Amino acid sequence: MGAIKLGQADSWSAIKMSNKIVIVPCITFFTLLLLIFTMQSSRDNVANLTWAATNQVVEMVTARDDLHDVKNDTLGFSKVFVISMPHRTDKRDAIALAAGVTGFRIDYVDGVDGNAIPDSAIPLGWPENESANTLGCWRAHMNVAQRMVQERIPSALIMEDDADWDVLLKSQLRCFAQGARYLQESDDSPTSVPTDSRNEQSLFNSPYGSDWDLLWLGHCGAVNNASASQRTWVIHEDASAVPHELWPYGRRQPNVSPSEFSGSNFTRYIYEPRHGLCMTGYALSLRGAERLLYHQSLSGSALVSDRALATLCRDRNYGFRCISPYPTFIASHRAAGDTDKDSDRLFGREIREIGYSEGLVFSTRLNMERLLSGEETVISQFPSDTLVSSISRHEELPLGDGVYVRITDFA
């Protein structure tokens, strides 16, 4: 009985094996047919699918809200450059630490010794009475613009190596980006942002908008145009803004007389300046870099660097468009100690007892020890005068509101 059962089992196994041998080729055959059909269908539609996918990506990139890009590791710009003489390792140490504790990356651009610039390379129109150090400074800033043009860098923040900024810089820049966008809207259509006719600038994707050449974030005063109706972004109760009575650069302050601007002693304004001074920190779009480089190197209109920016903002050469905050976000830091170390252009030796940064409330450099120690709060440079004497390093500032004022509103 056992042998009979074994034989039956062997026969049944043989039958199953035979069926598998038949079924597997059938399955394989029909699978191949299905694959061939699918491949043919895909081949017929591949162009349409590729075009649709490309359009979808473009729409996603264009439509996405990039306002929070100001908090990335380049502050919403393509690059952050710091101009610094290679031998000033002390300044490079300091600004590298400041950028690190604030959460962004920097690339150094070497400063230029003006004495090494041959006469043949000095641009037409350059003032003959300017020093070699001033010429070297000009060339270093032009080298950044040249690099942007050569490498097609969409935007860059450029700072000098003694720059300081508020610990809340990223929150400040979020407010500024909102204001910059408002200034770029059309008065006829508040939701429409004008763009340049050239394709490269039209596709320029920046949290600060698409129609700007210069964002003058760190200056020694920048006046607005009180002889024209204009848009202004107003941020009241800004804890990082110095009170009006501590505003620096008295002769170069914006006119804030319109009643629409009133409401707080701790107010910051975002506007289009018509004049300014100093280049502690500023941003260029690629379009702005091209226009600046042409104006300064090729047009016969060469000027000391900050005067060049002031001229472009005032005259709007080639449509040059500038946007600025006041009070500023970036300022020159003057460290305690030997004042001869402040600059390679200016000399005068004495001892400074207390370091300072003009017009900043929660200075990064003055709070460095607290930041490196992991302290949650930072201290105001003017504790008895500012809105608050200390604040969380992660505080979010108010965004502000857009205001349209007419020429008749200015006193």
Side-chain angles (χ1 to χ4, degrees), residues 85 112-118 122 131-137 139:
M85 297 298 289
V112 176
D113 179 0
N115 291 302
I117 299 175
I122 297 176
S131 68
N133 287 338
T134 300
L135 176 61
C137 176
R139 185 64 255 175

Side-chain angles (χ1 to χ4, degrees), residues 63-142:
R64 72 185 184 89
D65 180 8
D66 55 0
L67 190 62
H68 289 283
D69 284 356
V70 300
K71 296 193 175 186
N72 67 19
D73 63 1
T74 52
L75 304 176
F77 302 102
S78 305
K79 291 280 188 180
V80 180
F81 292 120
V82 171
I83 297 174
S84 177
M85 297 298 289
H87 67 271
R88 290 306 302 266
T89 53
D90 57 327
K91 290 195 170 189
R92 293 193 177 201
D93 290 345
I95 200 165
L97 276 170
V101 297
T102 314
F104 64 92
R105 295 182 292 106
I106 58 175
D107 291 312
Y108 292 111
V109 173
D110 288 345
V112 176
D113 179 0
N115 291 302
I117 299 175
D119 290 345
S120 57
I122 297 176
L124 185 64
W126 180 256
E128 293 183 1
N129 61 338
E130 291 295 345
S131 68
N133 287 338
T134 300
L135 176 61
C137 176
W138 174 89
R139 185 64 255 175
H141 284 277
M142 292 308 109

Side-chain angles (χ1 to χ4, degrees), residues 25-73:
C26 290
I27 293 174
T28 303
F29 175 73
F30 285 111
T31 300
L32 286 171
L33 285 178
L34 181 60
L35 284 171
I36 291 169
F37 176 79
T38 303
M39 289 172 65
Q40 183 62 44
S41 177
S42 298
R43 187 179 297 111
D44 291 340
N45 293 287
V46 66
N48 291 334
L49 288 171
T50 303
W51 180 256
T54 302
N55 281 346
Q56 185 177 17
V57 169
V58 170
E59 288 174 6
M60 289 173 63
V61 170
T62 303
R64 72 185 184 89
D65 180 8
D66 55 0
L67 190 62
H68 289 283
D69 284 356
V70 300
K71 296 193 175 186
N72 67 19
D73 63 1

Side-chain angles (χ1 to χ4, degrees), residues 179-187 192-196 201 208-216 230-231 271-274 283-285 287-289 291-292 309 311-324:
R181 289 177 171 189
Y182 171 73
L183 265 59
Q184 293 167 72
E185 291 172 357
S186 166
D187 290 330
S192 173
V193 178
T195 55
D196 189 88
Q201 184 78 9
Y208 303 100
S210 60
D211 186 32
W212 59 270
D213 296 276
L214 170 73
L215 305 179
W216 211 335
Q230 62 197 265
R231 288 177 174 234
Y271 57 96
E272 296 192 45
R274 64 182 300 272
L284 290 172
S285 65
R287 184 185 74 183
R291 290 171 172 176
L292 174 64
L309 294 185
T311 299
L312 286 166
C313 291
R314 182 192 65 217
D315 298 340
R316 295 205 65 172
N317 307 71
Y318 330 114
F320 201 85
R321 188 170 197 174
C322 309
I323 300 175
S324 177

Side-chain angles (χ1 to χ4, degrees), residues 18 25 31 84 89 105 112 133 142 152 168 175 209 240 267 276 284 298 307 310 338 366 383 407:
S18 175
T31 300
S84 177
T89 53
R105 295 182 292 106
V112 176
N133 287 338
M142 292 308 109
R152 313 311 292 166
L168 302 178
C175 305
S240 69
T267 300
L284 290 172
L298 302 176
R307 295 176 195 167
D338 189 349
L366 296 178
I407 186 173

